[in-house]
Amino acid sequence: MSSTSREWIRQPIIVVMGHVDHGKTTLLDKIRGTAVARKEPGEITQHVGASIVPASVLKKIAEPLRKYFPKLQIEIPGLLFIDTPGHELFANLRKRGGSVADMAILVVDVMEGFQPQTVEAINILKEKKVPFVVAANKIDRIEGWKPTPDAPFLETIRNQSQRTINILEEKIYRIAGELYNHGFEAERFDRVRDFRRTVAIIPISAKTGEGVSELLALMTGLVQQFMKKKLVTSSEPAKGVVLEVKEEPGLGTTIDVIIYEGVLKKNDLFIIAGKSKPVVTRVRALLMPRPLQDMRMHEGRFTQVEEVYAATGVKVSAPDLDDALAGSPFYVIPDETRLQDYLKMVSEEVSELRFKVESDGVVIKADTLGSLEALLEAMRREKIPVRLADVGNVSRNDVIEASVVKKSKPEYGVILAFNVKLLPEAEELAAREGVKVFQSNIIYHIIEEYAKWVKELREKEVEKEVSSLVRPAKIRILPGFIFRRSDPAIVGIEVLGGVLRPGCNVMRSDGMELGMVVQIRDRDNVLKEARAGQQVAISIKGRIMVGRHVDEGDILYTSIPKEHVTMWLTKHRDKLSTDEYLVLKEIIEIKKKQDPFYGFTA
Ligand code: GDP
């Protein structure tokens, strides 16, 4: 290939997502196996961090499908699959306002249906506006399935019993229902009329290979029909994204880059984001995996090339990469006079993700720019405000930030850390300040744990608030149990309704205040409370004289402050039993005579 100005259609970049154990790795292995076994001699299928299914393979695969897809012509040079499945690497395929991935395969275990990471994947794909198809995997596990290895689905389905077909239909129907709940119309691929409006579900078995050819053919068709324009690129300076930063023996720190536009050459000047500041350096070597058959004992795993073209995955060796950040944009700088523009562009892009604001919110830390962005987006989805977002291990400074927030907003005074370490001095300070650190290498675990903790915190707060409120109680002075007439008065009572606790004031049924209940006793035992039906002795301190203000057989009520009544009625109604609520209504009727707004809630 020559690099004088020209245009070409590049391979679409495809990612595989889905819940753990649903078969992502197995599917990628199957696809790679197919690509390697069926390629033409000399075709390179193995790239760095990615594999290509070349056009020649797509043609061979599509051949037996001709009767189902009569119009399928292969116009793209192939499909580029990112080798490592899952959300974390996907996160590093970031590009301002979207993703470098052109399309995704969402793998769903047909036996298990949707699982938490399936939902997470859908949310991410929606946010990044990446179109996807669903591979309903493991159809070979359906009861009675008779496998035909590597056969197209539409052929193998004809060998199944009606009962097995029915089970499969039911499972696909369920997956379509789940997709519908997330805002997508979905259908088995052969019944889809408009692929722009309906998500195609392709039943496959990554293990037996059934349906995999249709999956590849369908994606090829979709890409050619709907995104050919987007795939046009030219021999301009390369644009890419840093997928991973890796130490390589003999090479030092290298970056694995996915190039989605243009050409990258040896000695090109390029810019990426670094941990402390943007890194500007020159390509020392471009490395591609050495084909298996060419491996020699004394040669490394990589072979050098002079230039690479989009779309590709390539390892870049260059000076000063120690600071490199995965998930960072990668731009070739066409000429040095434009360096400032590029510095500005990269800095701006990075500061959208790494920031500190002076408002209350959580502290988030992540290992790469991509995972930081994914975590930020999860925060946005869950409506959790963020005070500080940064890459790197959790430091003492992060704990200080969180502890400041903790004082005014305890629920946000925390650190959410994805795939990073808690430095020892930070751990010590966090323990001392009581700052919680939520750590995991799965984003939804972090969010789940944090949500659980917030819920407990709120419950504790509610409990505290409720326990500070005077509860409704209705009591009767028992005849023959006047132990002391005043100062304090001590009488035997029966609780008729509600809960009586020491420390609350009591009143007569006409609203006259009598004083505070100091102690509740059952013979020698001091009680914390007395409930409906209990007979106990209570002491009342106040201007009360038994015989003058109250007498045997009188009914008394707790005198509930007006603000407490409002709290009961508006915030904590569910914390009152029916019995307490009925007593509360009686108390309101009594109090209203003196204060018409008592118990009034707008
Ligand atoms: P990942 O976590 O999504 O990458 O899942 P894996 O590819 O590691 O698969 C998880 C397990 O499911 C492994 O034991 C696979 O052998 C098995 N598996 C994957 N695909 C299929 C399939 O189509 N049929 C059956 N029966 N097992 C499968």
Side-chain angles (χ1 to χ4, degrees):
M1 272 192 271
S2 126
S3 61
T4 49
S5 185
R6 63 183 192 93
E7 275 191 353
W8 67 93
I9 297 175
R10 65 165 172 84
Q11 300 85 345
I13 299 167
I14 296 167
V15 291
V16 175
M17 311 263 279
H19 195 72
V20 62
D21 281 347
H22 280 196
K24 302 180 290 294
T25 314
T26 312
L27 175 61
L28 276 164
D29 285 347
K30 188 81 202 175
I31 291 172
R32 260 196 302 269
T34 310
V36 170
R38 299 211 190 176
K39 67 175 180 160
E40 300 291 324
E43 271 175 335
I44 295 168
T45 54
Q46 212 48 43
H47 293 222
V48 171
S51 306
I52 286 187
V53 180
S56 66
V57 173
L58 292 177
K59 279 192 190 117
K60 284 178 200 162
I61 287 175
E63 204 44 52
L65 298 175
R66 215 148 271 292
K67 55 183 152 181
Y68 309 110
F69 303 108
K71 284 184 293 200
L72 188 63
Q73 296 286 337
I74 314 294
E75 300 163 59
I76 52 173
L79 304 170
L80 182 142
F81 285 88
I82 300 295
D83 275 341
T84 313
H87 307 176
E88 279 66 56
L89 224 61
F90 175 80
N92 282 344
L93 287 171
R94 52 171 306 285
K95 157 165 105 172
R96 205 173 195 171
S99 173
V100 167
D102 297 299
M103 235 187 137
I105 301 176
L106 181 62
V107 177
V108 182
D109 183 331
V110 77
M111 307 301 283
E112 282 197 3
F114 268 46
Q115 295 296 319
Q117 282 167 301
T118 322
V119 174
E120 197 178 64
I122 288 213
N123 283 332
I124 295 172
L125 293 172
K126 249 203 267 190
E127 243 153 41
K128 296 282 189 182
K129 302 191 179 65
V130 178
F132 62 96
V133 296
V134 170
N137 190 30
K138 308 198 187 182
I139 52 170
D140 62 293
R141 289 189 55 209
I142 289 172
E143 229 184 293
W145 189 266
K146 292 196 272 304
T148 313
D150 298 324
F153 169 78
L154 293 175
E155 270 164 30
T156 189
I157 191 71
R158 282 195 264 125
N159 301 332
Q160 313 303 327
S161 69
Q162 193 53 48
R163 191 177 128 70
T164 300
I165 293 174
N166 290 349
I167 299 174
L168 175 68
E169 288 295 347
E170 191 263 326
K171 301 214 180 280
I172 289 177
Y173 186 72
R174 218 182 54 198
I175 292 175
E178 295 270 20
L179 283 159
Y180 186 78
N181 292 339
H182 290 91
F184 294 99
E185 296 271 345
E187 266 281 19
R188 204 171 92 179
F189 69 102
D190 52 317
R191 300 184 193 127
V192 174
R193 288 224 192 82
D194 182 353
F195 285 96
R196 272 168 303 194
R197 292 184 41 212
T198 310
V199 172
I201 302 175
I202 304 109
I204 67 159
S205 165
K207 194 169 166 189
T208 67
E210 288 163 293
V212 173
S213 51
E214 278 129 316
L215 175 63
L216 295 175
L218 189 79
M219 288 207 301
T220 305
L222 290 178
V223 162
Q224 292 184 163
Q225 198 166 352
F226 302 116
M227 41 175 92
K228 233 165 39 190
K229 267 204 198 112
K230 193 183 162 199
L231 298 180
V232 174
T233 184
S234 65
S235 47
E236 61 202 292
K239 281 186 191 163
V241 65
V242 178
L243 193 60
E244 283 187 277
V245 180
K246 279 187 179 162
E247 285 294 317
E248 293 291 347
L251 294 172
T253 307
T254 64
I255 51 177
D256 291 356
V257 182
I258 299 291
I259 303 289
Y260 59 86
E261 252 183 67
V263 183
L264 177 63
K265 301 194 203 83
K266 199 170 160 176
N267 291 324
D268 271 351
L269 187 69
F270 68 92
I271 182 168
I272 56 170
K275 282 177 199 139
S276 45
K277 57 180 194 309
V279 178
V280 177
T281 182
R282 271 185 201 280
V283 177
R284 187 193 283 144
L286 295 173
L287 302 155
M288 295 292 277
R290 194 180 289 281
L292 227 50
Q293 61 271 30
D294 295 359
M295 283 259 203
R296 306 270 191 283
M297 289 299 282
H298 57 280
E299 286 171 335
R301 288 190 294 132
F302 300 102
T303 172
Q304 280 209 36
V305 293
E306 290 299 307
E307 52 186 18
V308 292
Y309 303 83
T312 185
V314 63
K315 185 179 282 295
V316 176
S317 159
D320 306 322
L321 291 180
D322 290 338
D323 235 20
L325 265 180
S328 147
F330 175 103
Y331 298 123
V332 165
I333 304 173
D335 94 67
E336 268 176 69
T337 59
R338 296 201 45 208
L339 179 61
Q340 287 310 319
D341 300 341
Y342 277 83
L343 276 170
K344 189 161 166 261
M345 182 162 71
V346 170
S347 305
E348 271 174 14
E349 222 181 300
V350 170
S351 60
E352 282 171 14
L353 303 175
R354 303 172 77 176
F355 61 80
K356 178 173 179 291
V357 290
E358 288 309 321
S359 55
D360 289 341
V362 299
V363 171
I364 65 174
K365 296 297 292 266
D367 60 338
T368 70
L369 270 187
S371 54
L372 184 67
E373 184 176 53
L375 198 52
L376 257 178
E377 272 158 10
M379 296 293 116
R380 234 167 263 152
R381 250 192 330 265
E382 305 292 327
K383 302 196 169 52
I384 303 168
V386 176
R387 176 188 180 84
L388 174 86
D390 206 354
V391 278
N393 291 325
V394 178
S395 69
R396 221 179 109 80
N397 193 46
D398 299 326
V399 179
I400 294 171
E401 290 291 334
S403 67
V404 169
V405 175
K406 187 169 171 267
K407 291 196 179 79
S408 53
K409 286 266 165 57
E411 74 268 34
Y412 297 144
V414 300
I415 299 171
L416 309 184
F418 176 82
N419 223 6
V420 288
K421 289 200 201 83
L422 181 57
L423 297 173
E425 65 270 24
E427 188 168 8
E428 206 177 285
L429 188 65
R432 199 155 6 108
E433 295 283 328
V435 167
K436 283 280 281 178
V437 182
F438 297 87
Q439 260 176 304
S440 176
N441 53 4
I442 296 178
I443 288 183
Y444 86 84
H445 281 170
I446 299 181
I447 310 262
E448 235 173 41
E449 287 298 309
Y450 172 63
K452 204 170 103 197
W453 177 82
V454 170
K455 193 163 164 255
E456 281 166 12
L457 190 77
R458 296 242 164 92
E459 276 165 8
K460 265 187 226 150
E461 275 170 10
V462 167
E463 242 167 65
K464 206 170 133 199
E465 195 171 271
V466 166
S467 71
S468 72
L469 297 179
V470 173
R471 298 194 87 93
K474 179 180 181 180
I475 63 181
R476 188 169 75 101
I477 302 179
L478 294 171
F481 287 94
I482 310 297
F483 303 112
R484 187 174 157 144
R485 292 194 172 275
S486 70
D487 210 16
I490 301 180
V491 296
I493 58 126
E494 177 178 357
V495 180
L496 301 177
V499 179
L500 184 70
R501 287 187 177 153
C504 62
N505 289 330
V506 284
M507 64 179 181
R508 285 196 322 210
S509 51
D510 65 354
M512 185 187 143
E513 296 287 340
L514 296 172
M516 190 212 287
V517 175
V518 178
Q519 208 177 57
I520 305 176
R521 272 173 174 274
D522 181 8
R523 291 186 195 89
D524 288 339
N525 300 324
V526 176
L527 305 184
K528 286 209 181 80
E529 60 175 41
R531 290 179 171 266
Q534 269 183 288
Q535 294 190 343
V536 293
I538 63 170
S539 57
I540 306 170
K541 205 172 152 203
R543 284 177 302 143
I544 168 177
M545 170 77 80
V546 181
R548 185 178 323 155
H549 304 110
V550 289
D551 222 329
E552 298 183 346
D554 277 3
I555 305 268
L556 310 182
Y557 292 88
T558 45
S559 171
I560 305 179
K562 192 173 173 179
E563 319 76 76
H564 291 205
V565 166
T566 310
M567 295 278 264
W568 282 127
L569 294 174
T570 55
K571 268 179 88 178
H572 305 304
R573 169 74 185 81
D574 59 323
K575 295 287 184 299
L576 292 174
S577 64
T578 318
D579 155 56
E580 285 178 298
Y581 185 61
L582 291 175
V583 174
L584 182 67
K585 288 182 92 166
E586 289 183 39
I587 293 172
I588 292 172
E589 284 313 310
I590 296 167
K591 289 276 195 180
K592 252 189 175 159
K593 289 182 189 132
Q594 286 157 14
D595 177 355
F597 289 106
Y598 185 95
F600 177 82
T601 54

